[in-house]
Amino acid sequence: MENIKISKEKLIKIKDAVIFILLFLWMLMPLLQTVSGIQAIIDKWYFRLMKTTGGIGIGISILCIYYKIRNSDNKKEALKEVLPIFLFTLYMLWTLISCHNADRKKQAFNGNEYRKEGYFMYLNYAGYFLCAFLLENKKLRKMLLNTFVISSLFLIIVSRICIYSQIFRVIFGDVDIYNGVFKQFNHYGYYLMMSLICSLGLFITEKNKKLQIIYLIAYTIIGYATIKNNTFGCYLAICIFLILYIIYSLIKKIDRKKIGIAIAIFVILSCIITENNQNIAYKNLSEFGNDVKAIVCKIFNIETKDENIEQEFLEAGTYRMELWIKGIEFIAERPIIGYGPDNLKDHYLKERIDQDRPHNLLIYLACVSGIPGMIIYVIAVSIIVINGIIKLFKNNQSGKIFLIIVITYLISSMFGNSMYYTSPYFFIFLGSLMNCNLQKQEN
């Protein structure tokens, strides 16, 4: 019996080691992409890494879940614990039907050239989620978080140095301040937002005073880059999260000093960071206020002296309101099955809109997989998040960092689009949160 026990422990260690290496490489990817000499190698192995992680995550999870349920004394409880995984599986099956009914079937499976977010990429996302869920070693999970923050800091620093140093530009390539190594500044904004909240979570949960200072410095640097990046959806998500967390800290009477410091730093950064002699935060908040005014006047039919209120309503949120309205119209046309992944561009072009996404996760999911698919996905994510919130209010801190990153990302997803190089981070944090939800009180 002792030999069996040792062999099981060794298998768990091997499993954790393999998963850690795969996730560690992904966390390190933005850093590696800055180095000119190995960019060709990285480009060659980039999608291979994603497919490998996807395959290993799905394969190992099938075995682990099967043995978990088979060997459980309470099979009903064991099934309940992995319910989100079964719901995600149901979502994938439903979306498979959507792909087969898509106007562009090949694109539904492979994704378009730009986003590459077809059905096969969804399988890769599932692999990242499942790998993170299956990683049991707490120290390895924290190493991944630290690597994520370090990669973000490296990217920020290199992008600034390359402006002033030709030598650094040769070594690291032309890393853009606003885009980083990503194709568009909004995508870099999602990455910075997640790393900012990650550094904040590490600062809040760390007990070592010296490390607290290091994490707070990281938070300040990433906060600067996030505001400078000027992705307002991410900025708004961070503001909403900080408000929610200060309410939580006041209710539970914990972390009040730390979150107070974090909010003070973010407010100061918001006040001093400018672009073209204009305060970035003030400019965006002013435009946001005007957008809200236009929306309220339009919805409640409030009379206004502004003759262009109809156009301002459609232009709200950098034309997001128009994208949302058309997206809802698309849903009404195919409410059950949807259009399939990456199949909306043709429909937006028919409306003379040069976009391929509605910039809203819920609308996009309903467009892709129909309303039933969207509901299944939302229920699965909600179970994980709600369980995380319940455990947090019960003073179980084990999943706090993952919970706050997931919540912030979900808020931002109401104004943004997913991409093949940013979504894996979200699914890693979501899978880690689900793992922590099943753990007992942290020692």
Side-chain angles (χ1 to χ4, degrees), residues 145-159:
L145 292 173
N146 284 320
T147 305
F148 183 52
V149 172
I150 289 168
S151 293
S152 180
L153 287 170
F154 185 85
L155 200 57
I156 292 166
I157 294 167
V158 165
S159 66

Side-chain angles (χ1 to χ4, degrees), residues 142-243:
K142 188 168 183 180
M143 284 179 66
L144 289 175
L145 292 173
N146 284 320
T147 305
F148 183 52
V149 172
I150 289 168
S151 293
S152 180
L153 287 170
F154 185 85
L155 200 57
I156 292 166
I157 294 167
V158 165
S159 66
R160 268 73 186 169
I161 293 175
C162 284
I163 296 175
Y164 305 105
S165 173
Q166 184 65 37
I167 295 174
F168 270 88
R169 199 175 294 126
V170 171
I171 297 172
F172 295 109
D174 192 13
V175 183
D176 190 83
I177 288 179
Y178 301 100
N179 296 355
V181 293
F182 303 96
K183 294 180 179 180
Q184 214 259 1
F185 77 97
N186 283 337
H187 309 158
Y188 187 31
Y190 309 148
Y191 175 81
L192 287 171
M193 175 192 67
M194 286 187 279
S195 59
L196 175 72
I197 301 302
C198 182
S199 61
L200 174 60
L202 288 166
F203 165 65
I204 289 172
T205 57
E206 182 57 54
K207 296 176 182 178
N208 184 291
K209 296 291 184 181
K210 291 182 180 178
L211 287 177
Q212 284 180 14
I213 294 171
I214 292 172
Y215 288 136
L216 189 60
I217 293 170
Y219 169 81
T220 305
I221 294 171
I222 299 172
Y224 165 81
T226 302
I227 296 172
K228 195 74 174 176
N229 170 263
N230 199 12
T231 300
F232 184 63
C234 293
Y235 182 87
L236 192 60
I238 294 165
C239 291
I240 293 171
F241 161 73
L242 290 174
I243 292 169

Side-chain angles (χ1 to χ4, degrees), residues 102-115:
D103 297 330
R104 294 175 179 261
K105 290 184 176 60
K106 185 176 180 181
Q107 192 161 288
F109 282 99
N110 297 306
N112 61 37
E113 188 62 29
Y114 179 61
R115 297 191 188 277

Side-chain angles (χ1 to χ4, degrees), residues 42-293:
I42 296 300
D43 290 343
K44 182 179 179 181
W45 286 95
Y46 193 90
F47 291 104
R48 291 183 185 179
L49 173 63
M50 296 189 79
K51 291 176 182 178
T52 301
T53 306
I56 289 176
I58 293 171
I60 295 178
S61 66
I62 291 172
L63 291 172
C64 289
I65 292 171
Y66 169 75
Y67 282 109
K68 177 184 176 67
I69 295 171
R70 193 187 74 170
N71 298 328
S72 176
D73 295 328
N74 189 340
K75 289 182 170 52
K76 185 177 180 181
E77 185 63 27
L79 286 168
K80 184 180 177 182
E81 288 181 352
V82 294
L83 177 60
I85 293 175
F86 285 111
L87 288 172
F88 281 132
T89 303
L90 181 60
Y91 171 79
M92 292 300 294
L93 292 172
W94 190 267
T95 305
L96 187 61
I97 298 171
S98 300
C99 290
H100 280 291
N101 286 274
D103 297 330
R104 294 175 179 261
K105 290 184 176 60
K106 185 176 180 181
Q107 192 161 288
F109 282 99
N110 297 306
N112 61 37
E113 188 62 29
Y114 179 61
R115 297 191 188 277
K116 298 177 174 62
E117 272 203 324
Y119 189 81
F120 297 136
M121 187 59 70
Y122 286 10
L123 291 173
N124 294 336
Y125 294 165
Y128 278 98
F129 169 79
L130 292 166
C131 277
F133 170 67
L134 293 171
L135 184 62
E136 297 178 35
N137 190 299
K138 293 179 182 178
K139 290 182 179 179
L140 293 181
R141 282 206 300 267
K142 188 168 183 180
M143 284 179 66
L144 289 175
L145 292 173
N146 284 320
T147 305
F148 183 52
V149 172
I150 289 168
S151 293
S152 180
L153 287 170
F154 185 85
L155 200 57
I156 292 166
I157 294 167
V158 165
S159 66
R160 268 73 186 169
I161 293 175
C162 284
I163 296 175
Y164 305 105
S165 173
Q166 184 65 37
I167 295 174
F168 270 88
R169 199 175 294 126
V170 171
I171 297 172
F172 295 109
D174 192 13
V175 183
D176 190 83
I177 288 179
Y178 301 100
N179 296 355
V181 293
F182 303 96
K183 294 180 179 180
Q184 214 259 1
F185 77 97
N186 283 337
H187 309 158
Y188 187 31
Y190 309 148
Y191 175 81
L192 287 171
M193 175 192 67
M194 286 187 279
S195 59
L196 175 72
I197 301 302
C198 182
S199 61
L200 174 60
L202 288 166
F203 165 65
I204 289 172
T205 57
E206 182 57 54
K207 296 176 182 178
N208 184 291
K209 296 291 184 181
K210 291 182 180 178
L211 287 177
Q212 284 180 14
I213 294 171
I214 292 172
Y215 288 136
L216 189 60
I217 293 170
Y219 169 81
T220 305
I221 294 171
I222 299 172
Y224 165 81
T226 302
I227 296 172
K228 195 74 174 176
N229 170 263
N230 199 12
T231 300
F232 184 63
C234 293
Y235 182 87
L236 192 60
I238 294 165
C239 291
I240 293 171
F241 161 73
L242 290 174
I243 292 169
L244 292 174
Y245 198 88
I246 193 66
I247 293 171
Y248 160 78
S249 67
L250 291 172
I251 293 171
K252 297 297 292 182
K253 297 180 180 179
I254 59 171
D255 302 333
R256 286 179 292 184
K257 184 178 178 181
K258 288 183 176 180
I259 193 63
I261 293 170
I263 290 175
I265 290 172
F266 195 73
V267 170
I268 291 169
L269 291 172
S270 297
C271 291
I272 64 175
I273 297 174
T274 61
E275 184 72 25
N276 298 324
N277 296 321
Q278 277 191 312
N279 181 275
I280 294 173
Y282 178 78
K283 178 176 178 290
N284 286 331
L285 288 170
S286 297
E287 291 175 355
F288 178 66
N290 293 331
D291 290 343
V292 171
K293 179 183 176 181

